[in-house]
Amino acid sequence: MKINAFNQGVLYQRYTPKLLLIMKLTTFILILALSQVSAKTYSQITLKAENVQITEVLKQIEAQSGFVFLYEYGQISDLKVSVNVKNVSITAALEECLENTPLSFNIVGSTRTITIKPKPFSINEKLINKPQNIDVRGKVVDESGRPLVGATITVKGLPITVLTNELGDFYIRNIKEKTSIQISYLGYKVKNLLASNDLGTIVMEMENANLKEVVINTGLFDRKADSFTGAVATFKGAELRAITNQNLFSALAVLDPSFRIVDNVEFGSDPNRLPEMILRGPTGVPDLNATYQNAPNLPLFILDGFETTVQKIYDLNMNMVASVTLLKDASAKAIYGAKAGNGVVVIETVKPAAGKFRVSYSASADITAPDLSSYNMANSAQKLEAEVLGGMYKSTSPSQQFELIQLYSVNKKAVLDGVDTYWLSQPLQNGVGQRHNLYLDGGNETVRYGLSGGYNKVSGVMKGSERTTINGSFNFQYRVKNLSFRNNFMIDKNTAVNSPFGAFSNYSRMNPYWRINDDQGRLIQSYRNITGAEVFNPLYDASLNTKDQSEYTTITENFYGEWTMAKNLRFTGRIGLTLNNNNSDLFRSALHSDYFQIGTNSPEYLLRGRYSVGNGKSNALVSDLGFAYSFQIKKHQVYANLMYNIQQSTRSSTGMTMVGFPNDRMDDISFGSQYLPGSKASGAENTSRALGVTSALNYSFDNRFLADFSYRANGSSQFGANKRWGGFWSVGLGYNLHNEKFIKELKFVDQFKLRASTGTTGTQNFSSYQSIATYRYNTDRVYNGDLGLLLMALANPNLKWQQIMDNNIGLDVGLFNKIQIRADYYLSDTKDLLSDQTLAPSSGFDSYRENVGETRNKGFQINVSGRIYNSEATRSSLNIFASIVHNKNKIRKVSNSLRKINENQDDKLNNGTATVRRMPVTRFEEGQSISAIWAVRSLGIDPANGQEIFLKKDGSRTYLWDVKDQVVVGDNLAKYNGSFGLNWRYQGLSVNLAFTYRIGGQIYNSTLVSKLENANLGYNIDARLLEGRWREPGQYSLYKDIADMTVTRPTSRFVQDQNELVFSSINTSYDLSRTRFVKRLGMSSLSAGLTLNDLARISRVQAERGLDYPFSRNISVSLQANF
Amino acid sequence: MKKIKYLFAFLLVISMSSCEKWLSVKPKAQIDSEDNFKTEQGFKDALTGVYLNLSSTQLYGMDMTWGFVDVLAKQYTEYSSSQNNTYSRLMDWNYTTPEGVEKIRSIWKGMYYSIANLNNIIDNIDKSGSGIFSGTNYNVIKGECLGLRAFHHFDLLRLFAPSPSAAGGLTAPGIPYREHLDNYSAEKFTIAQDLEKIVLDLKSAATLLETADPIKNTQISSTDYLRDRKFKFNYYAVQSLLARVYLYAGDYEKALEHSKIVINDSEAGKFPVTPIAQVINGNRIFSTEVIFYINMTNLNTLVNENFVPSANTNVAMSKSNALMRNVFDVQNNAANSSDYRYQYWTIANSSTSAKGTITKLYQELNTNLDAVNRLPLVRLSEMYYIAAESCLKIAGKRLEADTYLNKARANRGLAPLSTNLSTVQFQDEIFKEYRKEFLAEGQLFYYYKRLNLPNIITTTNFPAGPAVYNLPFPDDEIEYGNVK
């Protein structure tokens, strides 16, 4: 009987007899209630009944309405109904009454008679599909797709509680369909869903930002965010990928502006050029002598607990990144001691999750488009006009004058013929790259595995410029009893090919009135410019067979073991091994324009063409052993770690250059006829070792008062025998105000934490043997049959660690469950700066290593994020974020040798070549910033004669530029920089926008100077040259006399404020998981995305950017599927 | 818990087992200085390195002998091949041109690099003591090092500081005298102080070598380090240098004293006169008379590049025929001189029949192995000249002066001088000897400078003075050193 089924449906199988008893009681009360129903009007029915026999209800309606019901008693007598209406029409009352019954009614004419009959068959069908008992299953995962184990599922109105298993799966038997079920997990937002057979994968969202960093991974060990006192920032892989999929660095720079990528004006967006990065401020002095092994301010990179190279991170498969943590202050980074001075970037890759075998695949097509908006080149008519105005076609010698007139007519004819070659576009392309990533994982509690393979081809905007990375990794985990092991094996292979088109500056300087091809369509090899110089067509060299590429292969093997020896006591051991092989090839044939000048009779004729190879090998072995101990006594909680680690790294390289490659098809080094004269095979070797003992203690009382202590003793082979060991310490204090009662009472405060820390760290980007005197055998000659040794370097046994003292105070505030604020103020002093010092040659050497100077970085950072709107029902949300960073750098002490560098620099300005003289130089003065711009103050151009008026130091005016009048006229470092953006989600669609900005920094517009005032009129110029330069007395102009060919030296006139707003990223993605199409393909999820990077740049300064390699805009279309 | 105990013990062992040793990484492609000086061989190799450096073309292999320094003395008037372009530009003492700056810096740096290497050996030999050395090697090595240190400083002084006979005298500023390998900028001393240090080093060297150097005692042809002492800065080189230094300082008594030490021992058979038959046979450097020469395996190449007229130009680095005749007092091309040096050191420039090409350093690789690959730095004849000049200056020794000079002249096939030459005439005879004897050996410039002569003489007179005689210090020395 269907009616029986209906009746049962109301009750849940597990209802106890007690519940039934309650129901009976209700019926009794209802009957009482019915008796009180009044009968004011027949048309307005008021009725309240629950689970009462329908015949009883009908009787009541008859009484109130005066209608008569006709029905077969046998058909309806078993039915019980519930109804609750007030002053409604009889139709409405009946509808309500019969709603859940297999009955229908019909008012017969105006007879006040109503018939009640069973509904037709189809109506019964509908009835069957009404709520009934089902089994519910689902899977609970976090935002990055990892299963949440132990999430709580409750069913509304029922005493049922279920926990997810180790795969994140749960299963509830036999509940009513569409009952509300609730899923909760600590730190995540409670999720309400209506029950259905298969809920699929349920993604839990983080509750709010303050609980986001539940655990902070410092790379060595984990710390509870709530009790940690360090200044850190953690980003999930998904957050980073929402900014860009290009590389980790660009994404980090947007999300946390304290992580800065130094703009490389010269090499722009060259994919084969590793970016230079600074975390907070520059700790070292610029490497004027170019002897650092790496950039002096490079942070330390830790990948899955092991130190790694910038290159590895640059080429890292972004899909495999689970999270990135920036460690900024002493409390956070001191555990890395000697290497952490420049900050630490901790990267964790995705770990295999247990569960059934899963396949994820992602792919993207990446388009790079050249951004030439900063270029403002003259067209052919403008260029010719500039040449005329510059007096280039005038000569006092009649014969030369004749030639010049001829040249002018040739050029003029070209202009009139409409020749206006756009050289800039010649070597450029819209590069199309692609990425693919496949990840397979699965396993159970005991054994888990993950296998990934990635292919990434980046195609640059210069034709032929490419970077291809193939990586693979195998991750294996094994856990038994109190032991667990993890092994991660990775292989990366990278090929970087540079464009055969050479430097972009060779194209931007070409005159627009030169044709590329002659009348027969052949490439013109060279041109003669107005100064008489022969200028080669750069496209000619690009048409030849050349080779400029490098490759590397890296194998990384990391092993982790963990043994829980006793309750609260854990022992960990790790071994990491990295092997790297790299090689580079540079080939240029005899046909190259470099060799045009060499005649067939010259002895060098046969030596044309060259091939250089370089081979390098490096390996690193790191091992550490650690103990972790934690206990809680009443309100005291202590985490203690002790770690001992040793490490050795070796690097070696060889290289040679052969010459004599007559034909460009002979593109192998073995074709060469001999070594480059005067050269031989070269080689270098570097081994360094370090060991350290780290201890860290984290204490919290009542989760209110927090303290962190750490000490690390570090020994390194890179430092002088007398100063080999260094001690690094940190102390951090915190106060969780939000755990105090008086704050708890303020309901809108979710978090209020004060932090302060101080401590020291060191930096070491230095070559291995800088502190010891070394000998090398001279193998070129013997002396009377004996071999001799020669000193290679001057020892400095007192060379010691460069120390950085960090002080930080910070504040974490969460309000209304919506707003999260994080603010830090820091003061960081670098002492004993390591630098190469120039020596008097009477010491026998040019330089040696010394600890010199002190610098200070001072600044703050504020990050605000807010959840403006969030609706579970429509699956929509809007989040915004904004951040600001300020850093001020100051040189506090300069050594004599640094002062001498200043003199040297000034001397360059006085006596250097024209190219050197027109650029401001780096100077080290106490109280000034390292990035200060030094120039002579300018009062502008004298309208009377077109000469520049300078302001001397004593305040007087002069036309003469003097190196002694240089003052600080700006600072390259922005006063404030930061980012802001939003994240909007509506159902499956999500949109991310990110902007970055900088305010209050200056730039010396050297490209403008060189293409405008210092322009060599033999080459193309900036179009502003014509409009802007002084021509006649009385003219007010920004730029000096057009006929004045003297070099413009550093002047404040070209110092410009660089306020800049960059539309860094727009990312949209659509989650297709809910579409039927996806289900049909057997996928568990599918999403498609579009990312555009570096879309637009609004800047007050129009300076050419990307001189040797242009900047690019990036568009990436991606697809991600899980099976 | 037992397991844990073992583990702790294991860790302790790891951490305690000589971290310090593990941390001192020794480079592979290079040798750590400390390691090197643990053995006697290390000292020998390091000292050999100094000889290699000093015999490089940048120093005594070329520029400090027949190259730059002889160019300054106008020993050559003709330059042709591309290698000598630098020299032809420097022959007019253009020290501030890019070529001049570069050349001067390379000499300065090269000399001090030798000194740095020497100082490292001296510092370490003092540290290690004589214990690890066999025989007299400790004394020999240390003596050579001290002697060479003085030798380098002395030539730097002669090039860069004013002549003691010039206006400022001995109190004029000298050059930095470096006695340790360190990174401090040494102060610049006065010439007197420099000379004092030089003499001190030489005296210590003489003391160490006097008993130890086989050349002084019994010349044993050992296969060890002590073989071929003339290739090393031996005892007699030290004594000769003392004579040279004292003469430069104007202390004639001492100059005579030390030159006589060498002369007396040589007459007792140490440095026999080279028989003319050997010279004819190709021993043009009179090798038996050389007290200290350097070994240069690449000498033949260098000589071919610079002194042998090339097929294209027919001219090498040479004197004009007129100058050659002037120097050797030869009236015309047809005439000859009894002077062996004219006969065997010069040939006709190939384009003309007139003599101008200098063959002194031509290498007879097959016929005269005793003279091959050797470039003389100190020779016996100079001791005769020093003795003669000293006697000339010391009252009552005029006759001795005649004797010394005539002996040296006789060795070169020249007749004795007339006995009634005036002091000036006699000095001029000594000058003539310097011009001839030290052809391609770099000593002539110092003769001009020592006496602060007003002219440098070829066939014409070139006025000379501080601007010619005193090479400017390299810029970076002025900038980074304490020499202002």
Side-chain angles (χ1 to χ4, degrees), chain A residues 453-615:
Chain A
Y455 170 85
N456 179 12
K457 183 182 156 193
V458 180
S459 194
V461 294
M462 291 278 285
K463 287 177 190 164
S465 138
E466 276 175 11
R467 187 177 187 88
T468 311
T469 314
I470 299 169
N471 28 33
S473 74
F474 180 63
N475 202 322
F476 180 78
Q477 292 185 23
Y478 182 73
R479 186 191 298 263
V480 56
K481 287 183 191 167
N482 53 0
L483 280 179
S484 75
F485 302 101
R486 186 147 60 87
N487 197 77
N488 197 2
F489 180 78
M490 289 177 269
I491 298 185
D492 302 83
K493 180 163 170 45
N494 174 282
T495 310
V497 182
N498 289 321
S499 170
F501 283 76
F504 186 64
S505 51
N506 286 340
Y507 296 85
S508 63
R509 68 175 198 161
M510 296 300 280
N511 284 321
Y513 51 65
W514 285 336
R515 292 178 168 89
I516 294 172
N517 297 310
D518 62 14
D519 298 335
Q520 276 90 47
R522 289 171 305 197
L523 271 181
I524 297 172
Q525 281 195 4
S526 70
Y527 312 88
R528 193 155 295 277
N529 76 7
I530 186 70
T531 59
E534 191 174 10
V535 183
F536 296 106
N537 185 346
L539 287 167
Y540 168 78
D541 288 335
S543 71
L544 301 173
N545 181 16
T546 57
K547 222 191 252 184
D548 181 0
Q549 64 179 64
S550 59
E551 283 177 347
Y552 75 81
T553 308
T554 305
I555 297 174
T556 312
E557 157 62 36
N558 293 340
F559 176 82
Y560 312 74
E562 197 177 296
W563 175 26
T564 311
M565 287 181 282
K567 198 190 163 203
N568 300 335
L569 181 60
R570 226 153 27 98
F571 168 68
T572 53
R574 308 190 297 181
I575 296 175
L577 179 69
T578 309
L579 305 169
N580 174 289
N581 274 303
N582 57 67
N583 60 69
S584 64
D585 292 274
L586 184 67
F587 168 65
R588 180 172 290 177
S589 82
L591 308 175
H592 196 272
S593 60
D594 282 3
Y595 306 108
F596 279 170
Q597 316 281 24
I598 296 170
T600 44
N601 287 328
S602 163
E604 288 168 57
Y605 188 74
L606 274 175
L607 304 183
R608 293 171 311 145
R610 68 154 69 189
Y611 198 122
S612 300
V613 291
N615 287 296

Side-chain angles (χ1 to χ4, degrees), chain A residues 782-819:
Chain A
V782 290
Y783 191 78
N784 194 25
D786 292 336
L787 272 178
L789 287 167
L790 286 169
L791 265 179
M792 298 311 296
L794 205 50
N796 186 358
N798 295 321
L799 199 69
K800 59 186 174 191
W801 304 91
Q802 178 172 313
Q803 292 247 354
I804 292 166
M805 172 97 193
D806 279 298
N807 302 294
N808 191 89
I809 52 173
L811 180 71
D812 299 329
V813 179
L815 299 171
F816 304 110
N817 239 331
K818 276 188 181 334
I819 300 167

Side-chain angles (χ1 to χ4, degrees), chain B residues 145-161:
Chain B
C145 287
L146 289 169
L148 281 171
R149 183 162 79 183
F151 178 76
H152 281 88
H153 280 112
F154 182 57
D155 276 353
L156 281 164
L157 184 79
R158 288 201 291 181
L159 273 180
F160 289 90

Side-chain angles (χ1 to χ4, degrees), chain B residues 340-415:
Chain B
Y340 299 145
R341 294 169 295 199
Y342 187 68
Q343 291 175 30
Y344 306 114
W345 287 2
T346 63
I347 54 167
N349 290 343
S350 46
S351 58
T352 64
S353 60
K355 282 185 147 191
T357 301
I358 301 156
T359 60
K360 183 182 183 182
L361 296 180
Y362 279 19
Q363 302 291 298
E364 305 293 340
L365 296 177
N366 302 319
T367 57
N368 213 306
L369 292 175
D370 283 347
V372 159
N373 288 347
R374 286 153 170 83
L375 193 62
L377 297 193
V378 183
R379 59 168 64 248
L380 179 63
S381 49
E382 189 187 356
M383 293 306 108
Y384 283 105
Y385 305 147
I386 292 172
E389 192 175 341
S390 300
C391 289
L392 184 72
K393 296 284 166 62
I394 302 167
K397 295 212 168 185
R398 182 64 176 78
L399 283 176
E400 262 185 72
D402 278 355
T403 317
Y404 284 124
L405 195 56
N406 283 336
K407 256 188 195 161
R409 283 173 62 90
N411 292 343
R412 297 289 175 266
L414 291 175

Side-chain angles (χ1 to χ4, degrees), chain A residues 36-49:
Chain A
Q36 289 163 5
V37 168
S38 64
K40 279 176 196 157
T41 62
Y42 60 77
S43 55
Q44 296 300 305
I45 314 285
T46 297
L47 191 61
K48 193 176 177 187

Side-chain angles (χ1 to χ4, degrees), chain B residues 90-114:
Chain B
L90 290 172
M91 61 187 286
D92 296 318
W93 311 287
N94 300 322
Y95 301 141
T96 52
T97 57
E99 293 90 1
V101 167
E102 182 49 43
K103 191 58 91 184
I104 287 167
R105 194 180 182 280
S106 100
I107 288 172
W108 179 274
K109 226 201 113 187
M111 293 292 275
Y112 277 109
Y113 179 59
S114 270

